[in-house]
Amino acid sequence: MVFQVRPDSPVPIYEQIAAQVVFGVAAGDPPPGSLVPSVRELASQLIVNPNTVARAYQELERQGILESRRGLGMQVTTKAPELCETRRMEIIRQRLLHAVREAAASGLTADDVRSLVEEEWTRASGRARRRGREERT
Amino acid sequence: MVFQVRPDSPVPIYEQIAAQVVFGVAAGDPPPGSLVPSVRELASQLIVNPNTVARAYQELERQGILESRRGLGMQVTTKAPELCETRRMEIIRQRLLHAVREAAASGLTADDVRSLVEEEWTRASGRARRRGREERT
Amino acid sequence: MVFQVRPDSPVPIYEQIAAQVVFGVAAGDPPPGSLVPSVRELASQLIVNPNTVARAYQELERQGILESRRGLGMQVTTKAPELCETRRMEIIRQRLLHAVREAAASGLTADDVRSLVEEEWTRASGRARRRGREERT
Amino acid sequence: MVFQVRPDSPVPIYEQIAAQVVFGVAAGDPPPGSLVPSVRELASQLIVNPNTVARAYQELERQGILESRRGLGMQVTTKAPELCETRRMEIIRQRLLHAVREAAASGLTADDVRSLVEEEWTRASGRARRRGREERT
DNA sequence: GTGGTCTAGACCACG
DNA sequence: GTGGTCTAGACCACC
């Protein structure tokens, strides 16, 4: 599981972190019953305040995706995969909806938008794939 | 020129307003030399504080898209259309990039994303077209 | 008497106009008893709202430099030259004081300031002289 | 770093504050990487509204002189000193230009202006020097 | 604690 | 009527 936050995004960092946990769980990593990285570990990895990570986890706990195991850490629940698959689609759909809606309002044509999406997808997925490879190394 | 803000969006309202002015000018409405709606008028129309609109206009003035005419209002500059076409692409590209990047990170496939985009585009552009028609009525 | 306003100056336009009348009267043009340009004439010459000129004149009337002659216009008073010489020094001193004070606070040296003053003086007085010549033509 | 604003100046307070930060950075205090006084702190020190200080800082951020560090404060950028030396000269030159131009238009002679400048410089720099000494105490 | 955004409402300069 | 500046004070995201 690799995390990455964009401080310049309008999306709050704790939401970015929460979304990435959701994406990971939806993809089967980490699996139910396993522990997510500790607040301090993830915070130091992302160079982010521990409170920010804690808030992301707290949010996920509220959604039934994580549960706190005293003295152990935060554990992925058994129903998490199902919840996360749903959440993932909701999140992505929501983000794309906002972006596409704005593109539509901007006067661009459907083709403009399609080609922009293809272009950015190539960039973004290329990067994601490379990251994935490095990670497995 | 029809404006619409989403107070629940993570994007600041003043940026939403500024973006919509950019989109409008890029589409030729309002044309160079004309006045944008007054701060107070637009504020009351959007049910938003005048300062919020003023901040959007101030941002656009800084970018050379508007200029303040003492006692008259804010005027679209002659070079605004050119600037706005560029800005429009930057804004949309940026938004799509964020959304698509997140979609890529989420583990969705290219086809998932494409079909989501098509679906949301149909919804969004349909709405935009209807709004346009109503406006012309 | 030639007027010139700088809309980009932080000094309000009506004060700029009033100051220029003061400078003119202090230099003997227009002389006591003569009429200053009408509000409308000066306003159209400066491409400025008549109210703005009216306010400048009203300010000067309050200071005893102009007096309103019904149906004629605004007349330079007999004591105006004396008042204007004093006002002129006050105005210039005040402006220079502000500028020099800021220069002192900025950490520039006395020589930096002197050379800046000489440079700007050459530019400004050169332009003023040229304007004077053109005017006499 | 000592700040001082003149509420009666025609120059907006937020510009006065921004200019003083520029002067300070140009003089090496505060150095790159350090934090400027917090918005609230400076506001209470200057007996000014926090928004006014925030606007000054925002202006400087736009110019690349400061950058916001989430939850920490506003940090002087590495390229700030260079930018500030340039900005300092621009600001002072601009102010002196306005004042000198007006002096030239007023009919004063070069010597009048020079002696006024010397006089005001002595006053202003004397005061600045005294303030500096007190500050170091 | 930090800055960022927004609201509400004042006064000023200008048309 | 217009925008520009300033004040006062709210809530949010983050440290």
Side-chain angles (χ1 to χ4, degrees):
Chain A
M1 186 75 217
V2 170
F3 289 87
Q4 199 165 7
V5 294
R6 319 209 149 259
D8 56 317
S9 162
V11 179
I13 293 178
Y14 73 87
E15 277 191 27
Q16 295 184 41
I17 296 172
Q20 292 186 44
V21 173
V22 167
F23 297 161
V25 171
D29 169 32
S34 67
L35 297 174
V36 292
S38 81
V39 166
R40 290 180 187 178
E41 183 191 334
L42 186 49
S44 75
Q45 177 192 320
L46 295 175
I47 315 175
V48 136
N49 191 286
N51 287 332
T52 306
V53 178
R55 177 153 184 193
Y57 283 0
Q58 173 194 341
E59 197 79 358
L60 293 164
E61 189 174 18
R62 205 180 47 70
Q63 295 172 18
I65 291 165
L66 298 183
E67 54 191 2
S68 150
R69 309 281 297 185
R70 299 211 179 185
L72 275 180
M74 303 290 285
Q75 192 178 37
V76 179
T77 64
T78 49
K79 59 183 174 174
E82 190 187 352
L83 288 168
C84 284
E85 279 188 58
T86 310
R87 282 290 296 140
R88 172 170 68 170
M89 280 305 276
E90 282 171 9
I91 292 169
I92 300 302
R93 180 186 296 275
Q94 178 71 7
R95 294 266 199 283
L96 283 174
L97 172 58
H98 271 132
V100 166
R101 185 185 277 160
E102 205 159 10
S106 81
L108 292 182
T109 68
D111 280 341
D112 289 339
V113 173
R114 272 188 213 106
S115 66
L116 273 172
V117 167
E118 291 300 327
E119 189 182 332
E120 300 303 347
W121 170 265
T122 311
R123 276 202 228 170
S125 66
R127 185 158 351 147
R129 231 177 294 120
R130 277 193 304 284
R131 255 212 321 281
R133 265 205 304 281
E134 284 156 15
E135 187 189 353
R136 281 189 289 278
T137 325
Chain B
M1 187 78 217
V2 170
F3 289 86
Q4 199 165 7
V5 295
R6 317 199 157 268
D8 56 318
S9 161
V11 180
I13 294 178
Y14 73 86
E15 277 191 26
Q16 296 184 40
I17 296 172
Q20 293 186 43
V21 173
V22 167
F23 296 161
V25 172
D29 170 34
S34 66
L35 298 174
V36 292
S38 84
V39 166
R40 290 163 171 83
E41 183 192 334
L42 186 49
S44 77
Q45 177 188 324
L46 295 175
I47 315 175
V48 137
N49 190 284
N51 284 331
T52 305
V53 177
R55 182 162 179 190
Y57 282 1
Q58 174 193 348
E59 195 79 1
L60 294 166
E61 187 176 20
R62 201 179 53 67
Q63 295 173 18
I65 291 166
L66 298 182
E67 55 191 3
S68 155
R69 309 278 300 186
R70 293 201 192 198
L72 272 181
M74 304 290 286
Q75 192 179 35
V76 179
T77 64
T78 50
K79 61 182 174 174
E82 191 187 349
L83 289 168
C84 285
E85 280 188 55
T86 309
R87 283 291 296 139
R88 172 171 67 170
M89 281 303 275
E90 283 171 9
I91 292 169
I92 300 301
R93 180 187 295 278
Q94 179 70 9
R95 294 265 199 285
L96 284 174
L97 172 59
H98 271 132
V100 166
R101 186 185 274 157
E102 206 158 10
S106 80
L108 293 183
T109 68
D111 279 341
D112 290 340
V113 173
R114 270 188 215 107
S115 65
L116 272 172
V117 167
E118 290 301 328
E119 186 183 334
E120 301 302 348
W121 171 265
T122 310
R123 275 201 230 169
S125 66
R127 182 158 356 146
R129 229 176 296 121
R130 276 193 303 284
R131 256 212 316 283
R133 262 206 306 280
E134 284 156 15
E135 187 189 351
R136 279 189 291 279
T137 323
Chain C
M1 189 73 218
V2 170
F3 289 88
Q4 201 166 6
V5 294
R6 319 207 151 262
D8 56 317
S9 162
V11 179
I13 292 178
Y14 73 87
E15 277 190 28
Q16 295 184 42
I17 295 172
Q20 292 186 45
V21 173
V22 167
F23 297 161
V25 172
D29 170 33
S34 66
L35 297 174
V36 291
S38 81
V39 165
R40 290 180 185 179
E41 183 192 335
L42 187 49
S44 75
Q45 178 190 324
L46 296 176
I47 315 175
V48 136
N49 190 287
N51 287 332
T52 307
V53 177
R55 178 155 184 192
Y57 283 0
Q58 172 193 344
E59 196 80 358
L60 293 164
E61 189 175 18
R62 206 180 46 70
Q63 295 172 18
I65 290 165
L66 297 183
E67 53 190 3
S68 150
R69 309 282 297 185
R70 300 212 177 183
L72 274 180
M74 304 290 285
Q75 191 179 37
V76 179
T77 64
T78 50
K79 60 182 175 174
E82 191 187 351
L83 288 168
C84 285
E85 278 187 58
T86 309
R87 283 288 297 139
R88 172 170 69 170
M89 280 304 275
E90 283 171 8
I91 292 169
I92 301 301
R93 180 186 295 277
Q94 179 70 8
R95 294 267 200 283
L96 283 173
L97 172 58
H98 270 132
V100 167
R101 185 185 277 159
E102 204 160 9
S106 81
L108 293 182
T109 68
D111 280 343
D112 289 339
V113 173
R114 271 187 213 106
S115 66
L116 273 173
V117 167
E118 291 300 328
E119 189 182 331
E120 300 303 346
W121 171 264
T122 311
R123 276 202 228 170
S125 66
R127 183 157 352 144
R129 231 177 294 119
R130 277 194 304 282
R131 255 211 319 283
R133 264 205 305 283
E134 284 156 13
E135 188 189 352
R136 281 189 289 278
T137 324
Chain D
M1 188 77 216
V2 170
F3 289 87
Q4 199 165 8
V5 294
R6 316 199 157 267
D8 57 318
S9 161
V11 180
I13 295 177
Y14 73 86
E15 277 191 26
Q16 295 184 41
I17 295 172
Q20 292 185 45
V21 173
V22 167
F23 296 161
V25 172
D29 171 33
S34 66
L35 297 174
V36 292
S38 84
V39 166
R40 291 162 171 84
E41 183 192 335
L42 187 50
S44 77
Q45 178 190 320
L46 295 175
I47 315 175
V48 136
N49 189 285
N51 284 330
T52 305
V53 177
R55 180 162 181 190
Y57 282 1
Q58 174 194 349
E59 196 79 1
L60 293 165
E61 187 176 19
R62 200 179 54 67
Q63 296 173 18
I65 290 166
L66 298 182
E67 54 190 3
S68 155
R69 309 278 299 186
R70 293 200 192 199
L72 271 181
M74 304 290 286
Q75 193 178 34
V76 179
T77 64
T78 50
K79 62 183 174 174
E82 191 187 349
L83 289 168
C84 285
E85 279 188 55
T86 307
R87 283 288 297 139
R88 172 171 68 171
M89 281 303 275
E90 283 171 8
I91 292 169
I92 300 301
R93 180 187 295 276
Q94 179 71 8
R95 295 266 199 283
L96 284 173
L97 173 57
H98 272 131
V100 166
R101 186 185 275 159
E102 205 158 10
S106 80
L108 293 183
T109 68
D111 279 342
D112 290 339
V113 173
R114 272 189 213 104
S115 65
L116 272 173
V117 167
E118 290 300 328
E119 188 182 334
E120 301 302 348
W121 171 264
T122 311
R123 277 202 227 168
S125 66
R127 182 160 356 150
R129 230 176 296 120
R130 277 193 303 283
R131 256 212 317 283
R133 263 207 304 282
E134 284 156 15
E135 185 189 353
R136 280 188 291 279
T137 323

